[in-house]
């Protein structure tokens, strides 16, 4: 998107605000589809947790995507957006058995990552097909918080516990129709991914009635100019060849599934915030904006780097700024970052704000969550209103102390 378009949105809808470019989302989706064009059956399931706005979900439905969900509520959002149950896969972790049952009754594909849950579910619902999430014990990901396939991870059933899985399947006569893994996010080395895939192929041989193999996601996207990213085309070429060979060996054309989130929406998103104060201290120049980690926590939580542009003065002389928020905690977005000269009232644009940004927002300090806008076919469409104080008070119940006895 052009700076002028983003500035106009900031003026029309008031910063802070999230903006998503629908054309970029679609191009990322079809780039992935094209990379695996030689696979007979391909299923892309968008990871709802990355950005769960109902209009974003409807956009994915319109281009043929399925959904990857991790909670009952995400399943409900998907159904509300018009997805059929068979286009949704549910991969929970540490949830109650009652939640899994409720989702199963909705007709959604269940993906189980726990031996005890697998046994319980198989004993009670042997007729419902389930997928099994395998932990391949492969360390991948750009941060410890997003590496989920290593040996100490809470996610998945260890590949070394495969005999236990097979025993449960035999004892319950349950139907395993899929096998799944997810190693982590920000994967750069596709050879590591392919190595983990081989572990999954070996495990898949033990299940004669599979319909699909789900390789998760975790593809790295660029966060700045000339940044490295997962070579999707190279991965597509190598994994497609290996997958097709496995299907021939298996004796059946299985579906190759992925569940990307960040890869599909990260680069499509922009977060716009207004500069409240430019503050000079003895050693630092702070640009303090009308936002904080209540709106965008990733830099503080993951140490993620978002390119920050001063779109009010894009050609200005660059100076060094530490960009911080208005929260009563340390909420530093960037330290000593080169940005075009900033003055109060300027609009700063945070790039790569489409994934795990609004969905992780909170009302900390009783601050209001921002609005969201979809840039679609050269039109800015409001897809979430700015919150008001009424939204914060809506579910609170005020106790009347005037009628109680104070001791």
């Amino acid at each position: 998107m052009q700076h002028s378009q983003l500035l106009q949105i900031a003026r029309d809808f008031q910063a802070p605000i999230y903006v998503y470019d629908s054309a970029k989302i679609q191009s990322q989706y079809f780039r992935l589809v094209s990379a695996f064009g030689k696979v007979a059956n391909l299923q892309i399931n968008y990871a709802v947790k990355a950005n769960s706005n109902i209009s974003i979900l409807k956009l994915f439905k319109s281009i043929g995507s399925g959904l990857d969900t991790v909670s009952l509520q995400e399943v409900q959002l998907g159904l509300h957006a018009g997805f059929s149950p068979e286009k949704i896969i549910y991969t929970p972790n540490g949830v109650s058995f009652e939640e899994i049952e409720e989702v199963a009754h909705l007709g959604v594909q269940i993906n189980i990552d726990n031996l005890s849950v697998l046994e319980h579910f198989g004993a009670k619902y042997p007729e419902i097909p389930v997928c099994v999430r395998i932990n391949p014990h492969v360390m991948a990901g750009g941060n410890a918080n997003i590496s989920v396939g290593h040996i100490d991870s809470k996610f998945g059933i260890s590949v070394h516990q495969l005999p236990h899985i097979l025993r449960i399947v035999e004892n319950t006569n349950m139907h395993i129709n899929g096998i799944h893994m997810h190693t982590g996010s920000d994967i750069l080395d596709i050879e590591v991914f392919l190595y983990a895939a081989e572990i999954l192929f070996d495990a898949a041989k033990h299940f004669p009635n599979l319909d699909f193999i789900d390789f998760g996601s975790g593809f790295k996207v660029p966060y700045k100019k000339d940044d490295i990213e997962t070579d999707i085309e190279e991965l597509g070429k190598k994994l497609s060849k290996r997958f097709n060979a496995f299907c021939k060996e298996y004796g059946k054309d299985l579906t190759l599934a992925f569940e990307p989130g960040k890869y599909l929406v990260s680069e499509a998103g922009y977060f716009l915030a207004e500069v409240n104060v430019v503050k000079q201290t003895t050693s630092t120049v702070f640009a303090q904006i009308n936002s904080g980690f209540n709106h965008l926590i990733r830099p503080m939580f993951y140490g993620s780097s978002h390119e920050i542009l001063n779109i009010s003065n894009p050609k200005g002389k660059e100076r060094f700024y530490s960009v911080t928020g208005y929260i009563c905690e340390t909420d530093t977005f960037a330290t000593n970052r080169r940005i075009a000269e900033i003055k109060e009232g300027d609009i700063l644009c945070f790039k790569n704000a489409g994934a795990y940004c609004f969905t992780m927002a909170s009302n900390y300090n009783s601050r209001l969550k921002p609005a969201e806008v979809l840039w679609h076919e050269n039109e800015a469409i409001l897809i979430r209103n700015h919150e008001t104080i009424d939204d914060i008070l809506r579910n609170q119940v005020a106790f009347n102390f005037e009628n109680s006895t104070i001791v």
Side-chain angles (χ1 to χ4, degrees):
M1 292 185 65
Q2 298 177 6
H3 292 169
S4 59
Q5 295 167 332
L6 291 168
L7 276 173
Q8 189 62 49
I9 290 173
R11 284 192 289 266
D12 291 346
F13 296 95
Q14 189 178 359
I17 193 165
Y18 279 99
V19 183
Y20 312 119
D21 183 354
S22 67
K24 182 62 177 178
I25 292 174
Q26 293 177 78
S27 69
Q28 288 293 97
Y29 178 85
F30 289 112
R31 180 185 173 191
L32 188 57
V33 169
S34 177
F36 290 89
K38 292 187 177 181
V39 172
N41 304 310
L42 178 69
Q43 178 62 52
I44 307 299
N45 296 316
Y46 166 64
V48 176
K49 59 183 177 289
N51 187 324
S52 58
N53 187 286
I54 198 73
S55 293
I56 299 297
L57 302 188
K58 285 179 173 289
L59 173 61
F60 278 110
K61 180 179 181 296
S62 74
I63 58 179
S65 175
L67 293 182
D68 163 56
T69 63
V70 297
S71 70
L72 167 63
Q73 291 74 22
E74 286 187 350
V75 171
Q76 291 170 332
L77 281 174
L79 295 173
H80 185 75
F83 285 86
S84 58
E86 59 268 20
K87 294 285 282 186
I88 302 174
I89 185 169
Y90 167 72
T91 306
N93 178 263
V95 305
S96 69
F97 189 77
E98 288 72 24
E99 177 173 320
I100 295 174
E101 284 184 300
E102 188 169 350
V103 173
H105 292 322
L106 293 173
V108 168
Q109 173 68 58
I110 304 295
N111 188 16
I112 295 177
D113 83 333
N114 181 293
L115 285 172
S116 63
V117 172
L118 185 69
E119 186 168 19
H120 189 181
F121 192 90
K124 193 169 185 179
Y125 303 104
E127 75 284 358
I128 299 179
V130 301
C131 177
V132 175
R133 179 174 183 171
I134 298 292
N135 181 344
H137 298 313
V138 173
M139 183 72 173
N143 181 284
N145 289 333
I146 53 177
S147 297
V148 298
H150 56 85
I151 196 166
D152 288 326
S153 174
K154 70 172 185 173
F155 299 95
I157 302 173
S158 169
V159 68
H160 303 305
Q161 294 177 307
L162 186 59
H164 296 300
I165 299 174
L166 297 174
R167 176 182 55 81
I168 290 170
V169 172
E170 182 179 359
N171 290 343
T172 63
N173 199 30
M174 65 189 305
H175 177 198
I176 304 300
N177 69 334
I179 192 166
H180 167 282
M181 75 169 185
H182 184 62
T183 58
S185 296
D186 285 356
I187 296 169
L188 291 175
D189 188 348
I190 65 172
E191 296 303 323
V192 173
F193 192 92
L194 293 170
Y195 170 75
E198 288 298 328
I199 296 173
L200 202 60
F201 286 136
D202 286 340
K205 295 174 183 177
H206 296 275
F207 301 94
N209 299 308
L210 295 178
D211 295 319
F212 66 94
I213 299 180
D214 191 330
F215 291 91
S217 179
F219 308 131
K220 172 76 168 64
V221 298
Y223 284 97
K224 55 188 176 182
K225 185 178 179 181
D226 300 323
D227 194 8
I228 51 179
E229 60 180 310
T230 304
D231 189 336
I232 290 296
E233 286 69 29
E234 183 69 12
L235 177 62
K237 179 181 177 180
K238 291 185 175 181
L239 184 56
S240 294
K241 181 179 179 180
R242 181 66 185 91
F243 182 78
N244 288 336
F246 176 80
C247 287
K248 187 175 182 180
E249 177 186 347
Y250 190 78
K252 178 182 179 181
D253 277 336
L254 300 174
T255 294
L256 171 61
F258 288 108
E259 49 191 41
K262 187 193 309 181
Y263 175 81
L264 296 176
V265 296
S266 176
E267 294 174 271
Y270 304 86
F271 180 57
L272 310 179
E274 184 174 343
V275 178
N276 283 335
V277 177
V278 177
K279 180 179 181 179
Q280 173 80 58
T281 67
T282 55
S283 61
T284 304
V285 180
F286 290 99
Q288 297 181 281
I289 62 175
N290 65 342
S291 182
F293 69 64
N294 57 317
H295 294 160
L296 177 54
I297 197 173
R298 295 185 74 249
M300 305 82 182
F301 188 32
Y302 294 139
S304 65
S305 177
H306 292 259
E307 186 177 358
I308 303 173
L309 306 175
N310 182 1
I311 59 175
S312 296
N313 184 28
K315 296 182 180 179
K317 181 179 178 181
E318 290 186 340
R319 297 186 63 192
F320 287 92
Y321 297 91
S322 289
V323 180
T324 59
Y326 59 10
I327 290 297
C328 190
E329 300 264 0
T330 299
D331 57 350
T332 303
F333 295 101
T335 301
N336 290 330
R337 185 81 63 86
R338 289 174 65 102
I339 304 173
E341 189 169 11
I342 298 173
K343 64 180 185 300
E344 293 173 6
D346 282 352
I347 300 296
L348 300 188
C349 173
F350 294 72
K351 299 181 72 174
N352 284 91
Y356 305 101
C357 292
F358 185 92
T359 53
M360 297 176 74
S362 73
N363 291 116
Y364 187 52
N365 284 188
S366 295
R367 294 288 184 177
L368 308 175
K369 293 179 185 176
E372 294 176 290
V373 162
L374 183 67
W375 180 254
H376 182 64
E377 298 180 350
N378 292 314
E379 182 182 358
I381 303 165
L382 184 67
I383 58 173
R384 185 189 300 269
N385 290 313
H386 283 284
E387 280 190 340
T388 68
I389 192 64
D390 289 337
D391 294 311
I392 291 181
L393 291 171
R394 180 167 290 112
N395 292 320
Q396 296 191 44
V397 179
F399 179 74
N400 187 357
F401 284 93
E402 294 180 359
N403 297 326
S404 64
T405 301
I406 304 299
V407 179

